[in-house]
Amino acid sequence: MRKAVEGQLKKDVSDFEIGDTVDVSCRIIEGEKERVQVFSGVVIARRGSGISQTFVVRRIVNNEGVERTFPVHSPKVVGIAVVRGGQVRRAKLYYLRQRVGKATRLKDLKRVEGGEQGKQAAAGETAQTPAEAAKTEA
């Protein structure tokens, strides 16, 4: 059973968190044609594990809140792209359902990624300028 499930898990799942604004690309089949449609919104919940892991994306369309639940490992989900990170202190953001307008905005989260400076920042070290590095070597 475990081997059958492991074969269907996606290897390239995007690293997104609660509060992130994401673009979810969905494969839609209409008759004989197949197209990709993007659903943009804020991730307000994530639940489950393994093949049954899902996440909920919320956005406002025509002054009406629209929430959609996506399975992470579904073949219908082509890709998940993080547009911007959101700083939150909750695992579920259901309180956004009662908020309207600018009250639904979340603080922007600055994530450090890539390169040597990103590794140092993640480890809590400060990055050195080339001049400082030359002084310490001498």
Side-chain angles (χ1 to χ4, degrees):
M1 180 69 176
R2 183 173 284 146
K3 290 180 183 178
V5 171
E6 286 177 3
Q8 296 184 3
L9 291 176
K10 286 186 179 177
K11 308 282 189 280
D12 57 344
V13 176
S14 178
D15 185 31
F16 63 96
E17 297 176 8
I18 308 298
D20 289 353
T21 302
V22 295
D23 288 342
V24 182
S25 301
C26 306
R27 184 176 289 126
I28 295 178
I29 300 170
E30 296 173 337
E32 299 294 318
K33 294 183 179 179
E34 182 178 311
R35 64 186 178 90
V36 175
Q37 182 175 3
V38 177
F39 189 87
S40 301
V42 178
V43 178
I44 64 168
R46 197 168 176 174
R47 64 173 56 97
S49 63
I51 195 79
S52 63
Q53 185 177 10
T54 61
F55 63 100
V56 180
V57 179
R58 177 179 176 82
R59 74 173 182 181
I60 306 297
V61 179
N62 296 330
N63 293 327
E64 191 74 27
V66 176
E67 291 183 8
R68 196 161 165 196
T69 303
F70 296 98
V72 174
H73 298 285
S74 172
K76 298 259 185 201
V77 175
V78 178
I80 304 166
V82 177
V83 177
R84 65 184 276 256
Q87 182 178 356
V88 294
R89 297 173 66 179
R90 302 281 181 271
K92 306 284 191 272
L93 303 181
Y94 297 139
Y95 65 90
L96 292 178
R97 293 172 176 167
Q98 281 77 42
R99 301 212 176 168
V100 180
K102 288 187 177 181
T104 60
R105 293 181 300 173
L106 300 172
K107 286 185 180 178
D108 196 17
L109 179 65
K110 307 280 192 285
R111 290 199 179 113
V112 180
E113 294 182 17
E116 195 63 34
Q117 291 179 345
K119 292 177 187 173
Q120 289 175 351
E125 302 171 6
T126 57
Q128 291 183 340
T129 62
E132 291 173 345
K135 286 181 185 177
T136 56
E137 290 177 6

